[in-house]
Amino acid sequence: MHELGIVFHIADSLLAVGRENNLTSISSVTIELGEVSGVVDSYLTDCWRWTAEKHDLLRGCKMLIETLPAVTLCESCGKTYPTVTYAKVCPFCGSEKTHLETGNEINIKEIEAY
């Protein structure tokens, strides 16, 4: 379960931000999660609840998840298309010379703190 490792990284990042900014509490963190990142959002939030309770600064902190759509670029015709619908084959020209542009990311987008 790589979700636990991801959560540890997020927690470490938030704790560092908390120290740098003399925060007393972080109430929520918004995560951008790529549609084809391979991360299971329910596992991520379960791991988050367990991890957040281990740190005073994060206790009660909610994790909000925004899904980033997966988009593939066709190198042959230059058009983009939804990856999940069409996979590797371009629906416009039939080429397999494609690559994923977005949808594999995991980013901390926003932190609500005081």
CSV table of all heavy atoms in Angstrom, one decimal, residues 50-96:
chain,number,residue,atom,x,y,z
A,50,TRP,N,-5.6,8.2,10.2
A,50,TRP,CA,-4.7,7.5,11.2
A,50,TRP,C,-3.5,8.3,11.5
A,50,TRP,O,-3.1,8.6,12.6
A,50,TRP,CB,-4.3,6.1,10.7
A,50,TRP,CG,-3.4,5.4,11.6
A,50,TRP,CD1,-3.8,4.6,12.7
A,50,TRP,CD2,-2.0,5.3,11.5
A,50,TRP,NE1,-2.7,4.1,13.2
A,50,TRP,CE2,-1.6,4.5,12.5
A,50,TRP,CE3,-1.1,5.8,10.6
A,50,TRP,CZ2,-0.2,4.2,12.7
A,50,TRP,CZ3,0.3,5.5,10.8
A,50,TRP,CH2,0.7,4.7,11.8
A,51,THR,N,-2.8,8.8,10.4
A,51,THR,CA,-1.6,9.6,10.6
A,51,THR,C,-1.8,11.0,11.2
A,51,THR,O,-1.0,11.4,12.1
A,51,THR,CB,-0.9,9.8,9.2
A,51,THR,OG1,-0.7,8.5,8.6
A,51,THR,CG2,0.4,10.6,9.3
A,52,ALA,N,-2.9,11.7,10.8
A,52,ALA,CA,-3.1,13.0,11.4
A,52,ALA,C,-3.3,13.0,12.9
A,52,ALA,O,-2.9,13.9,13.6
A,52,ALA,CB,-4.4,13.6,10.7
A,53,GLU,N,-3.9,11.9,13.4
A,53,GLU,CA,-4.2,11.8,14.8
A,53,GLU,C,-2.9,11.6,15.6
A,53,GLU,O,-2.9,11.8,16.9
A,53,GLU,CB,-5.1,10.7,15.1
A,53,GLU,CG,-6.6,11.0,14.7
A,53,GLU,CD,-7.1,12.3,15.2
A,53,GLU,OE1,-7.0,12.6,16.4
A,53,GLU,OE2,-7.6,13.1,14.4
A,54,LYS,N,-1.8,11.3,15.0
A,54,LYS,CA,-0.5,11.1,15.7
A,54,LYS,C,0.3,12.4,15.9
A,54,LYS,O,1.3,12.4,16.6
A,54,LYS,CB,0.4,10.2,14.8
A,54,LYS,CG,-0.2,8.9,14.4
A,54,LYS,CD,-0.2,7.9,15.6
A,54,LYS,CE,-0.7,6.6,15.1
A,54,LYS,NZ,-1.5,6.0,16.1
A,55,HIS,N,-0.2,13.6,15.4
A,55,HIS,CA,0.5,14.8,15.5
A,55,HIS,C,-0.5,15.9,16.0
A,55,HIS,O,-1.6,16.1,15.4
A,55,HIS,CB,1.0,15.3,14.1
A,55,HIS,CG,1.9,14.2,13.5
A,55,HIS,ND1,3.2,14.1,13.9
A,55,HIS,CD2,1.7,13.3,12.5
A,55,HIS,CE1,3.8,13.1,13.2
A,55,HIS,NE2,2.8,12.6,12.3
A,56,ASP,N,-0.1,16.6,17.0
A,56,ASP,CA,-0.9,17.7,17.6
A,56,ASP,C,-1.3,18.7,16.5
A,56,ASP,O,-2.5,19.1,16.4
A,56,ASP,CB,-0.2,18.4,18.7
A,56,ASP,CG,-0.1,17.6,19.9
A,56,ASP,OD1,-0.8,16.6,20.1
A,56,ASP,OD2,0.9,17.9,20.7
A,57,LEU,N,-0.4,19.1,15.6
A,57,LEU,CA,-0.7,20.1,14.6
A,57,LEU,C,-1.8,19.6,13.6
A,57,LEU,O,-2.5,20.4,13.1
A,57,LEU,CB,0.6,20.5,13.9
A,57,LEU,CG,0.4,21.6,12.8
A,57,LEU,CD1,0.1,23.0,13.4
A,57,LEU,CD2,1.7,21.7,12.0
A,58,LEU,N,-1.8,18.3,13.4
A,58,LEU,CA,-2.7,17.8,12.3
A,58,LEU,C,-4.0,17.1,12.9
A,58,LEU,O,-4.8,16.7,12.1
A,58,LEU,CB,-1.9,16.8,11.5
A,58,LEU,CG,-0.6,17.3,10.8
A,58,LEU,CD1,0.1,16.1,10.1
A,58,LEU,CD2,-1.0,18.4,9.9
A,59,ARG,N,-4.1,17.0,14.2
A,59,ARG,CA,-5.2,16.3,14.8
A,59,ARG,C,-6.5,17.0,14.3
A,59,ARG,O,-6.7,18.1,14.4
A,59,ARG,CB,-5.1,16.3,16.3
A,59,ARG,CG,-6.1,15.4,17.0
A,59,ARG,CD,-5.7,15.1,18.4
A,59,ARG,NE,-4.5,14.2,18.4
A,59,ARG,CZ,-3.4,14.5,19.0
A,59,ARG,NH1,-3.2,15.7,19.6
A,59,ARG,NH2,-2.4,13.7,19.0
A,60,GLY,N,-7.4,16.1,13.7
A,60,GLY,CA,-8.7,16.6,13.2
A,60,GLY,C,-8.6,17.2,11.8
A,60,GLY,O,-9.6,17.6,11.3
A,61,CYS,N,-7.4,17.3,11.2
A,61,CYS,CA,-7.3,17.8,9.9
A,61,CYS,C,-8.0,16.9,8.9
A,61,CYS,O,-7.8,15.7,8.8
A,61,CYS,CB,-5.8,17.9,9.6
A,61,CYS,SG,-5.4,18.6,7.9
A,62,LYS,N,-8.8,17.6,8.0
A,62,LYS,CA,-9.5,16.8,7.0
A,62,LYS,C,-8.6,16.9,5.7
A,62,LYS,O,-8.0,17.9,5.4
A,62,LYS,CB,-10.8,17.5,6.7
A,62,LYS,CG,-11.8,17.4,7.8
A,62,LYS,CD,-13.1,18.0,7.5
A,62,LYS,CE,-14.1,17.8,8.5
A,62,LYS,NZ,-14.0,18.7,9.7
A,63,MET,N,-8.7,15.7,5.0
A,63,MET,CA,-8.1,15.7,3.7
A,63,MET,C,-9.2,15.8,2.6
A,63,MET,O,-10.1,14.9,2.6
A,63,MET,CB,-7.3,14.4,3.5
A,63,MET,CG,-6.7,14.3,2.1
A,63,MET,SD,-5.7,12.8,1.9
A,63,MET,CE,-4.2,13.3,2.6
A,64,LEU,N,-9.1,16.8,1.8
A,64,LEU,CA,-10.0,16.9,0.6
A,64,LEU,C,-9.3,16.5,-0.6
A,64,LEU,O,-8.1,16.9,-0.8
A,64,LEU,CB,-10.5,18.4,0.6
A,64,LEU,CG,-11.0,18.9,1.9
A,64,LEU,CD1,-11.2,20.4,1.8
A,64,LEU,CD2,-12.3,18.2,2.3
A,65,ILE,N,-9.9,15.8,-1.5
A,65,ILE,CA,-9.3,15.3,-2.7
A,65,ILE,C,-10.0,15.9,-3.9
A,65,ILE,O,-11.2,15.8,-4.0
A,65,ILE,CB,-9.2,13.8,-2.8
A,65,ILE,CG1,-8.4,13.3,-1.6
A,65,ILE,CG2,-8.7,13.3,-4.1
A,65,ILE,CD1,-8.4,11.8,-1.5
A,66,GLU,N,-9.2,16.5,-4.8
A,66,GLU,CA,-9.7,16.9,-6.1
A,66,GLU,C,-9.1,16.1,-7.2
A,66,GLU,O,-7.9,15.9,-7.2
A,66,GLU,CB,-9.4,18.4,-6.4
A,66,GLU,CG,-10.1,19.3,-5.4
A,66,GLU,CD,-9.7,20.8,-5.7
A,66,GLU,OE1,-8.9,21.1,-6.6
A,66,GLU,OE2,-10.2,21.6,-4.9
A,67,THR,N,-9.9,15.5,-8.1
A,67,THR,CA,-9.4,14.6,-9.1
A,67,THR,C,-9.0,15.4,-10.3
A,67,THR,O,-9.7,16.3,-10.8
A,67,THR,CB,-10.4,13.6,-9.5
A,67,THR,OG1,-10.8,12.8,-8.4
A,67,THR,CG2,-9.9,12.6,-10.6
A,68,LEU,N,-7.7,15.2,-10.8
A,68,LEU,CA,-7.2,15.8,-12.0
A,68,LEU,C,-7.5,14.9,-13.2
A,68,LEU,O,-7.0,13.7,-13.1
A,68,LEU,CB,-5.7,16.2,-11.9
A,68,LEU,CG,-5.3,17.2,-10.9
A,68,LEU,CD1,-3.8,17.3,-10.8
A,68,LEU,CD2,-6.0,18.5,-11.2
A,69,PRO,N,-8.1,15.3,-14.2
A,69,PRO,CA,-8.4,14.4,-15.3
A,69,PRO,C,-7.1,14.0,-16.0
A,69,PRO,O,-6.2,14.8,-16.1
A,69,PRO,CB,-9.3,15.2,-16.2
A,69,PRO,CG,-9.1,16.6,-15.9
A,69,PRO,CD,-8.7,16.6,-14.4
A,70,ALA,N,-7.1,12.8,-16.5
A,70,ALA,CA,-5.9,12.3,-17.3
A,70,ALA,C,-6.1,12.7,-18.8
A,70,ALA,O,-7.2,12.5,-19.4
A,70,ALA,CB,-5.8,10.8,-17.2
A,71,VAL,N,-5.1,13.4,-19.3
A,71,VAL,CA,-5.1,13.9,-20.7
A,71,VAL,C,-3.9,13.4,-21.4
A,71,VAL,O,-2.8,13.5,-20.9
A,71,VAL,CB,-5.2,15.4,-20.7
A,71,VAL,CG1,-5.1,15.9,-22.1
A,71,VAL,CG2,-6.4,15.9,-20.0
A,72,THR,N,-4.1,12.8,-22.6
A,72,THR,CA,-3.0,12.3,-23.4
A,72,THR,C,-2.8,13.2,-24.6
A,72,THR,O,-3.8,13.7,-25.2
A,72,THR,CB,-3.3,10.9,-23.8
A,72,THR,OG1,-3.3,10.1,-22.7
A,72,THR,CG2,-2.2,10.3,-24.8
A,73,LEU,N,-1.6,13.4,-25.0
A,73,LEU,CA,-1.2,14.2,-26.2
A,73,LEU,C,-0.8,13.3,-27.3
A,73,LEU,O,0.0,12.4,-27.1
A,73,LEU,CB,-0.1,15.2,-25.9
A,73,LEU,CG,0.5,15.9,-27.1
A,73,LEU,CD1,-0.5,16.9,-27.7
A,73,LEU,CD2,1.8,16.6,-26.8
A,74,CYS,N,-1.3,13.4,-28.5
A,74,CYS,CA,-0.9,12.7,-29.7
A,74,CYS,C,0.2,13.4,-30.4
A,74,CYS,O,0.1,14.6,-30.8
A,74,CYS,CB,-2.1,12.5,-30.6
A,74,CYS,SG,-1.6,11.6,-32.2
A,75,GLU,N,1.4,12.8,-30.5
A,75,GLU,CA,2.5,13.4,-31.2
A,75,GLU,C,2.3,13.5,-32.7
A,75,GLU,O,2.9,14.4,-33.3
A,75,GLU,CB,3.8,12.6,-30.8
A,75,GLU,CG,4.1,12.7,-29.4
A,75,GLU,CD,5.4,11.9,-29.0
A,75,GLU,OE1,6.1,11.4,-29.9
A,75,GLU,OE2,5.6,11.7,-27.8
A,76,SER,N,1.5,12.7,-33.2
A,76,SER,CA,1.2,12.7,-34.7
A,76,SER,C,0.4,13.8,-35.1
A,76,SER,O,0.7,14.5,-36.1
A,76,SER,CB,0.6,11.3,-35.1
A,76,SER,OG,1.5,10.3,-34.9
A,77,CYS,N,-0.8,14.0,-34.5
A,77,CYS,CA,-1.7,15.1,-34.9
A,77,CYS,C,-1.7,16.3,-34.0
A,77,CYS,O,-2.3,17.3,-34.3
A,77,CYS,CB,-3.1,14.5,-35.1
A,77,CYS,SG,-4.0,14.1,-33.6
A,78,GLY,N,-1.1,16.2,-32.8
A,78,GLY,CA,-1.0,17.3,-31.9
A,78,GLY,C,-2.2,17.6,-31.0
A,78,GLY,O,-2.3,18.5,-30.3
A,79,LYS,N,-3.2,16.7,-31.1
A,79,LYS,CA,-4.4,16.9,-30.4
A,79,LYS,C,-4.3,16.2,-29.0
A,79,LYS,O,-3.6,15.2,-28.9
A,79,LYS,CB,-5.6,16.4,-31.1
A,79,LYS,CG,-5.9,17.2,-32.4
A,79,LYS,CD,-7.1,16.7,-33.1
A,79,LYS,CE,-7.4,17.6,-34.3
A,79,LYS,NZ,-8.5,17.1,-35.1
A,80,THR,N,-5.1,16.7,-28.1
A,80,THR,CA,-5.2,16.0,-26.8
A,80,THR,C,-6.6,15.3,-26.6
A,80,THR,O,-7.5,15.7,-27.3
A,80,THR,CB,-5.0,17.0,-25.6
A,80,THR,OG1,-6.0,18.0,-25.7
A,80,THR,CG2,-3.6,17.6,-25.6
A,81,TYR,N,-6.6,14.3,-25.8
A,81,TYR,CA,-7.9,13.6,-25.6
A,81,TYR,C,-7.9,13.0,-24.2
A,81,TYR,O,-6.9,12.8,-23.6
A,81,TYR,CB,-8.1,12.5,-26.7
A,81,TYR,CG,-7.0,11.5,-26.7
A,81,TYR,CD1,-7.1,10.3,-25.9
A,81,TYR,CD2,-5.8,11.6,-27.5
A,81,TYR,CE1,-6.2,9.3,-26.0
A,81,TYR,CE2,-4.9,10.6,-27.5
A,81,TYR,CZ,-5.0,9.5,-26.7
A,81,TYR,OH,-4.1,8.5,-26.7
A,82,PRO,N,-9.1,12.6,-23.7
A,82,PRO,CA,-9.2,11.9,-22.4
A,82,PRO,C,-8.6,10.5,-22.4
A,82,PRO,O,-9.0,9.7,-23.1
A,82,PRO,CB,-10.7,11.9,-22.1
A,82,PRO,CG,-11.4,12.2,-23.4
A,82,PRO,CD,-10.4,12.8,-24.3
A,83,THR,N,-7.6,10.4,-21.6
A,83,THR,CA,-6.9,9.1,-21.5
A,83,THR,C,-7.7,7.9,-21.1
A,83,THR,O,-7.6,6.8,-21.7
A,83,THR,CB,-5.7,9.2,-20.5
A,83,THR,OG1,-4.9,10.4,-20.8
A,83,THR,CG2,-4.8,8.0,-20.5
A,84,VAL,N,-8.6,8.1,-20.1
A,84,VAL,CA,-9.3,6.9,-19.6
A,84,VAL,C,-10.3,6.4,-20.7
A,84,VAL,O,-10.5,5.2,-20.8
A,84,VAL,CB,-10.1,7.3,-18.3
A,84,VAL,CG1,-11.0,6.2,-17.9
A,84,VAL,CG2,-9.1,7.6,-17.2
A,85,THR,N,-10.8,7.3,-21.5
A,85,THR,CA,-11.8,6.9,-22.5
A,85,THR,C,-11.1,6.2,-23.7
A,85,THR,O,-11.6,5.2,-24.2
A,85,THR,CB,-12.6,8.1,-23.0
A,85,THR,OG1,-13.2,8.8,-21.9
A,85,THR,CG2,-13.6,7.7,-24.0
A,86,TYR,N,-9.9,6.7,-24.1
A,86,TYR,CA,-9.3,6.2,-25.3
A,86,TYR,C,-8.0,5.5,-25.1
A,86,TYR,O,-7.4,5.0,-26.1
A,86,TYR,CB,-9.2,7.4,-26.3
A,86,TYR,CG,-10.5,8.0,-26.7
A,86,TYR,CD1,-10.9,9.2,-26.2
A,86,TYR,CD2,-11.3,7.3,-27.6
A,86,TYR,CE1,-12.1,9.7,-26.5
A,86,TYR,CE2,-12.5,7.8,-28.0
A,86,TYR,CZ,-12.9,9.1,-27.4
A,86,TYR,OH,-14.1,9.6,-27.8
A,87,ALA,N,-7.4,5.5,-23.9
A,87,ALA,CA,-6.2,4.8,-23.7
A,87,ALA,C,-5.0,5.4,-24.5
A,87,ALA,O,-4.9,6.6,-24.7
A,87,ALA,CB,-6.3,3.3,-23.8
A,88,LYS,N,-4.2,4.5,-25.1
A,88,LYS,CA,-3.0,5.0,-25.8
A,88,LYS,C,-3.3,5.3,-27.3
A,88,LYS,O,-2.4,6.0,-27.9
A,88,LYS,CB,-2.0,3.8,-25.7
A,88,LYS,CG,-0.6,4.2,-26.3
A,88,LYS,CD,0.5,3.5,-25.6
A,88,LYS,CE,1.8,3.8,-26.2
A,88,LYS,NZ,2.2,5.2,-26.2
A,89,VAL,N,-4.4,4.9,-27.9
A,89,VAL,CA,-4.6,5.1,-29.3
A,89,VAL,C,-5.4,6.4,-29.5
A,89,VAL,O,-6.5,6.6,-28.9
A,89,VAL,CB,-5.4,3.9,-29.9
A,89,VAL,CG1,-5.6,4.2,-31.4
A,89,VAL,CG2,-4.5,2.7,-29.7
A,90,CYS,N,-4.9,7.3,-30.3
A,90,CYS,CA,-5.5,8.6,-30.5
A,90,CYS,C,-6.8,8.4,-31.2
A,90,CYS,O,-6.9,7.8,-32.3
A,90,CYS,CB,-4.6,9.5,-31.4
A,90,CYS,SG,-5.3,11.1,-31.8
A,91,PRO,N,-7.9,9.0,-30.7
A,91,PRO,CA,-9.2,8.8,-31.3
A,91,PRO,C,-9.4,9.7,-32.6
A,91,PRO,O,-10.3,9.5,-33.4
A,91,PRO,CB,-10.2,9.3,-30.3
A,91,PRO,CG,-9.4,10.3,-29.5
A,91,PRO,CD,-8.0,9.8,-29.5
A,92,PHE,N,-8.4,10.6,-32.8
A,92,PHE,CA,-8.5,11.5,-34.0
A,92,PHE,C,-7.8,11.0,-35.2
A,92,PHE,O,-8.3,11.1,-36.3
A,92,PHE,CB,-8.0,12.9,-33.6
A,92,PHE,CG,-8.7,13.5,-32.5
A,92,PHE,CD1,-8.1,13.6,-31.2
A,92,PHE,CD2,-10.0,14.1,-32.6
A,92,PHE,CE1,-8.8,14.2,-30.2
A,92,PHE,CE2,-10.7,14.7,-31.6
A,92,PHE,CZ,-10.1,14.7,-30.3
A,93,CYS,N,-6.6,10.4,-35.0
A,93,CYS,CA,-5.8,9.9,-36.1
A,93,CYS,C,-5.4,8.4,-36.1
A,93,CYS,O,-4.9,7.9,-37.0
A,93,CYS,CB,-4.6,10.8,-36.3
A,93,CYS,SG,-3.3,10.6,-35.1
A,94,GLY,N,-5.7,7.8,-34.9
A,94,GLY,CA,-5.4,6.4,-34.8
A,94,GLY,C,-3.9,6.1,-34.4
A,94,GLY,O,-3.5,4.9,-34.3
A,95,SER,N,-3.1,7.1,-34.2
A,95,SER,CA,-1.7,6.9,-33.9
A,95,SER,C,-1.5,6.4,-32.4
A,95,SER,O,-2.3,6.7,-31.6
A,95,SER,CB,-1.0,8.2,-34.0
A,95,SER,OG,0.4,8.1,-33.6
A,96,GLU,N,-0.5,5.6,-32.3
A,96,GLU,CA,-0.1,5.2,-30.9
A,96,GLU,C,1.1,6.0,-30.4
A,96,GLU,O,1.7,5.7,-29.4
A,96,GLU,CB,0.2,3.7,-30.9
A,96,GLU,CG,-1.0,2.8,-31.1
A,96,GLU,CD,-0.8,1.3,-31.0
A,96,GLU,OE1,0.3,0.9,-30.4
A,96,GLU,OE2,-1.6,0.6,-31.5
